[in-house]
Structures are given as structure tokens and as C-alpha cells.
Amino acid sequence: MGKKEILEKFSADPERYYKVRLFEEKGFERKSCATCHRYFWTMDEKRTNCPDHSDDTYSFIGNPPTKKRFDYTQAWKEVESFFVKNGHTSVNRYPVVCRWRDDLYFTIASIVDFQRVMGSKVVFEFPANPLVVPQTCLRFKDLENVGVTGRHFSSFCMIGQHSIPNDHGYWKDQCIDLDYRLVTEQFGIDKNEVVFVEDVWEGGGSFGSSLEFFVKGVELGNAVFTEFQGDLSSYKTLDQKIIDMGAGLERFAWITMGTPTAYDCCFGPITGSLVQQAGIDANSELLVRYFTEIAKNLNRFVDLSEVRKNASKSAGISEEQIKKTIIPLEGIYLIVDHIRTLIFAISDGALPSNVGGGYNLRIMLRRIISTMDRLALKFDMNEIIDTQIDYLKNTYPELEKTRNDVKTIIEIESGRYENSKLRMQKIVSKLNQRPTVDDLIRLYESDGVTPDYLKEMNVISEIPATFYTKLSELHQSKKSEKQDHLPLEGLAETELLYYDKDPKEFDAKVLKSFDKYVVLDRTSFYARGGGQEPDHGKIAGFDVIDVNKHGNIVVHELKGGIPKEGETVLCIVDSKRREGITKHHTSTHILNSSSRNILGSWVWQHSAFKETDHARLDITHHSALTDEEVAKIEEMANAKVKENIPVTIQNFDRGTAEQKYGFRIYQGGIVPVKSVRIVSIKDFDIEACGGTHVKSTKDVELIKITRTKRIQDGVVRLEFVAGKTAQEYVKKHEAELTKASAEQTAKEQRDKLREERKEQAREKIPALLEQISQTSKGKVDEILVSSGKFYSTTDDQYDEYFHINFGEKLVKANPRAVYCGIFEERGTVRAIIHAGEEASKQNKASDIAQAVSLVLGGSGGGNPRFAQGGGPDKSKKDEAINKAKSMVLG
Ligand SMILES: [Zn+2]
Ligand SMILES: [Zn+2]
């Protein structure tokens, strides 16, 4: 079903779909655009064209249609006070990281705030009705337009006006009435300027008519009336009709300010400050001309370079002015836009990385740096962050809390990029032709080379329009898990005993048994879920080896046989195993919050696994953990264990839980049911969790982190043990430590002795050589001298250092001599043989070493002048010497 067909159908019956009370009351006239034939509603008798095809398009630039001027912050105050005055509740923005939907990384529209997934269905849950919300939305599809078009942002504030038509809320008539009055009364825009264009909206299996409202060619908002489900050939009215009006706050500010671009009035004082720092001559008359033409040409051309070419031509802007003013300005707009998006995303817990949603954040930061490099702009990133947060906190005070965290992450990530530049340079130098879009994607995907870097390096002049769209599509959707299909139709949902009395022995009726599987009417066996491993035990005497939930039915897998359907069976849960698992589960919560406290607000649980004797917690963090960080996390966790804080479990309505505790509760992912089970360790850790937990933190006994590892970009794994296993681990570890320390001491002693002997040898060798040169037979200080040709010793006072150095000098002084030193080292006998230049012609040192080693029960080798060997037989030292002696002396 296409949008076009729905629009045709709806526009064929305007009375039913578009005519609202306001049009009737104020005398709006329905017209068809003289150019494109689209239908629109206006009070201006002379208007013949739709806003896209009117002459006054974007004529507010340099000439705003309002008396009052409102910047971004003030514009929201105006909108908010208008809707509150008219019975709406003003709701705080939801996080930009969409924790409550597993098909979206980021919040892309205000209505997403209130969508919750129930099975395969999306339902709406409103915390108030009607309501208005200043929702920051992130969208990465038009990145190449950001900074260039004057109106595209990577994140923007969507004014969300939402209502469910019932006793409290309203439907079309009142919605359009309010929107009209917002524009005309609150913002003071002339009623003849407001144009409503007929449109439709469809998505997620539902659709409805919509009215877009425009002033001077700029679309301020779109009121969608989500009404039907199905497709055009067969649809029905939704049980829950929804008013989904979304308007761009940036545009409301822009139209009242009439600045050349929306960027000039939506980022607070930072834009002006950077323009000044960069020394750009921002001649406003020239900019008004240029950006008005850009806005007009955007409707005419798809390709951005065409838009720019035509705009500069019709605005009469020279090449020189483009280079000196427009291009650096575009750079500044891009930088402030991208940093604002990073501030929101990082504050809400997202990290730049090479996976998932982190992808877009990394590419944005790299664009910022590349742009600064390309334009030789030397801005202080922290100053930009500070100025932006100072400005944004008027509307979003929560950003103050994460100010430093944002700076930390941006600094680390910038450093990483700088470090990768050398590698990127090499890759780029090997490119021998202009890269295609697919090449660009591959270059970024596999080598991290951004197109902005290629632009900076002059490899490409423009980033192709489709690059960011393609890239963001590649990383758009998360995978959803597939489940096996078991024959469970018609079975009643299993009563879960472990959430209540949790008996370890109970009777239950077999509702179904097949293959190796059993379904009971009730069970106390915990089914695998939320990273917690299943219980084991016995059902009717058979071993339970696995337990899984299929929808609301618990399926037990048995080994050795299965009971018959209809039987009542005795079930016994292995309570020891459960106890271990439970301790590890509560420990996971404690470690998660400890990690966040020690490392930073960006730490979220990425995933977790809890077994009876070990567990692991994967957290989002930018770098591998240092020993010091691990020690601190462990210390804090164990302090919480010692404090003996009660672990409480309470069920809440999902909306209430979110409002009360915020979205931090979703550490383990989304909760697909209306009632959430909140597990609290006072206010230290509060999570929505379906697992089993100890009564009080002391029950965990002890938590020991056994290993940590960076498992992917932006994710660190903590492996740990708790309870008995942790105690055992400490005992074993202590024994290992004692052993290691004894070994260390022994080694230190050996090293010391060796040093002393070395020192002695250095002093002794020259004196010994002197004495030996005067002796041809007998003994000199335990060294046997034979015929001035053979010298040997087995004395313990000499070590390897001595034999090597002494022997070398001896045979150098006496080329006819052979030296054989035998000594013990760490339980074996070693032999070192030197042969003088002359001597080696008859007796090679290597031959002697071989023969001597054979006597000692080992092996040896080397070259004719120097060889080594040895063996285990300590009783044969003298025999070995004699062997060598007889070889030399014959
Ligand atoms: Zn038109
Ligand atoms: Zn949990």
C-alpha cells in the first residue's frame, strides 16, 4: 500500500478526512496547487500554489513575519506555556537512546516515547493525556545536508503534541484549532500566512490522514491522525486512535528570528563565538541572499552540489565568497550541530563505537575533527561543549550532571581517531581511482576511513548524497531472536511458584509430555531468562536438565524418561544450585552499579550470564579496565555486600515505574509486559528484572572479579564469582599467592648469589690466570692443571658466569689449552668446554661436550671452540672430568 494511493483516496473525500471545525469557522478555502495539484487549505484568497511552489517561499529569511523574536530556548517556553494553558501536561523529554524499544537504537520521533512493544504489537502508553513534550530526536540519514541547507540537523527538538480522544483527550478538530492558535496567537503570525496541506502518514501497520502546516514555505508541523489498521483494501479503525502532532522547535525559532539559517538561532551563543574566532566575515545581507536561494533550490534539485551551484549563481555569490565565507560557515554549523547530538547521546549513555548505534556517533565525531582539520579551525572542544550545555540546560537541566562525562568520552574518542590517522594515510595513498559509494562504505566499514577524511585529503570533493543513508540503513535494525516451535497450542499458562512461596518441593500436574519435554500446571523451576541459567532437579524421579519459557508456558527438558500426561508428579528443585545462581544474580546488579559509580554514567549492562558457580557481566565502557579500576569496583561491591542492604522486589505498572525510576531500570533490555518487577538495592541499584535474588546483600557473602576483558568495541566483560565459590577462589588464590611469593623469594636469593659470585669472579679471574700461567701441573685454587694443556674443576664455588669468562680468557692466553668446567645448577650437572685455537684442531669442544654429557646421562653440543652439555647424574662428575682429560691428553 503506497502513500500516494491513500492520499488519493482521502483527498477524494475531504469532508470525512480533512475538513476540521476550524476550516469551517474561519472560512478556510480548499484549493488545488496550480503547479503540483496537491490540496491545501488557506484563508488567503489570492494564494494559488501550495507552499512548495509559492513565490514567498523562505521569504521570512531576513524578514520574519512576527513582531517578537524567540530563540531555541524561548521558543520552547512559548510553546510549552501555550499548551499547558490549554490543558496539556508538559512531560520531560525521554532519553535519545531508545531503551524501551528493541528495534530502534535512537528516539526518532516524539511518539516513540509512548510506544511499548507487547509481543508483536506496539501499544501506546501515555503518562498524561493530552500532553506536550520537547523530545530530542536523532536522525542520521541526512548527515550530508547538515550545515549546508540551513535547516537540516542530526538532532532536533520535536515538539510532540499527543492526545488520545477520550474524556481527557481530543481528536482532529481541537488539535488543528490548537495548532492554528499556537501559530497565530502565541507566535503572532498573520492568519493569511498559515497554510494546511493535505497529506497522509503510514507506518507499522497503521495509517491515517494528516495536515501539515506551513508558514512562508517552511513546514512548521505535521498533525497526524492515526486512525486505521491494515491496508487500503482491508482496514479497520484502531481501538486506540492517536493524535501525533510533531513540530520542529528549531523552525519555530527560525521563523521568528529570520536569520540566514536555523543554525544561527538554535545553538545559543556558540555559533557567533566560533564565527568570530575563525575570523569569518559573516556579511548578513550576503548570507540572507545565499541561504534563501539554497532553501528554494532544495525543492528543485536532489543533488546537493546542484543546489549549491544554482543557489550561488542566482544569489550572485562569487567563488571567492564561497571559499572565504560559505564553506567555513558550513563547517562551523556542522561542528556545533554534531557536538549537540553527541552531548545528548553520550549523556543518555551511548558510546561511539564500531557497532550498532555507536557507529553514527563515531562517524560524527570524526566528521567534526576532519572538518576542523580541513578548514584549519583550531577550536577548543571543551569550550564548545561547555557553552552548549550552559545554553541547553535552560530546557534540559539534566545535561548538567553528565557535562564531564561527555568531555571524557569525546576526548578519548578524539585521541583514538588521531592515533589512527597514520594508518588511514597509508590506505588512502594506495587508492588509485575515485572511490564509488560502495568503496566508501567498505573503506569505512573495514578500515575506519571516513569520507570526510577523504574530503580533507582531497581524494573526493563531495560526499555522495547516498553515503550516509546507505550506511545508516546498514546499521539500522537490530536482530531479533528466533524461537523454536513446540506443540504447545491450547495449553494454559504455567503458574510460576518461584515468584511467590518458591517451594523447593512441590506437586504438579503434567499438562503435556512429548519427546523429552514436560509442561506442568505450575512450577518452581526457574526458566532460563534475563541471563539467569535455569534450575535443575527432579520431576517424577527424572533429571531436569533444562527449563525454558515459551510465551507464558514453562517447558522442562528431562533426561532418562518423561512422566505421562495427566499424572500428578513430585518435583524437587536442586536448591544448592539455585542458591548459587541467585547469589550470582544479585551480585551482577551490585557490580553493575559499582562499575557505573567508579567508571562513569555511560556504563550500562550490555548483557549478563549467571550460573551457579560463576557469572559474567558485560558493561558498556570505552576502554579495557585497568587493575586499579577493577580493584575499586570490587571494593565498592564488597562494601555494599557488607552493608547488608535489603533487596526488595515490587511490581509496578510499566509507566509508573518509568516515571518513578527513569529508564535506568531497563538494564536487562526491554520489558514486554505491562507490569514490571522492580528489584531495588535501596537507591544504589534499581532494575526491572525477572530473576531470583537474595533477601539482603550480605547473603552474597563475597564478590571476586576473576578476569576482565574488552570483548568488543565499547563493551567490557567482567567475569566473577560470588558466595561459596568466591570464598574458595580466595583460598585457592591465597595458596597460589603464598607459593608464588616463596618462589619469588628463592629467585631473589639466587639472583643475589649470582651477582655476588659474578663480582667475585671479576676480581678473581685475572689473578687466577696469572697463577696458572706459571704452573704446568697440579692444582691452583681447586683448578686441576694437567701438562699445561688440560684445565678443569668441579668445585661448587664456581658458576656459569665464571666458567664462561674464565675459560674464554684461559684458552685465549694459551691456544693449546682445553678448559672443562663442571658445576651443579638447579638439580642438574652442567658442563662448559672451551678449546683454544690450536687445541680445537685435535679435540673439538663440541666432541668433548658430547662425550662428557654421555657420562653424565645427558647430551651436549656446540662448536669446535665452545660447547655446553650436562646430565642428571651427579655421582659421575669426576668420571666426566677424567673422560675429558683422557680425550685431550690421549
Ligand atoms: Zn505545489
Ligand atoms: Zn537482574
Side-chain angles (χ1 to χ4, degrees), residues 585 589 610 687 689 693:
H585 196 147
H589 287 217
K610 305 106 186 179
E687 297 183 26
C689 172
H693 287 277

Side-chain angles (χ1 to χ4, degrees), residues 27 29 31 40 42-49 192:
E29 205 184 322
K31 294 184 180 177
F40 62 92
T42 178
M43 289 174 76
D44 182 356
E45 288 165 16
K46 288 187 277 268
R47 186 177 292 276
T48 55
N49 279 33
N192 281 326

Side-chain angles (χ1 to χ4, degrees), residues 223 239 264 343 357 418 455 610 779:
D239 306 335
D264 300 305
I343 288 172
E418 294 297 340
K455 197 172 154 190
K610 305 106 186 179
K779 261 187 171 182

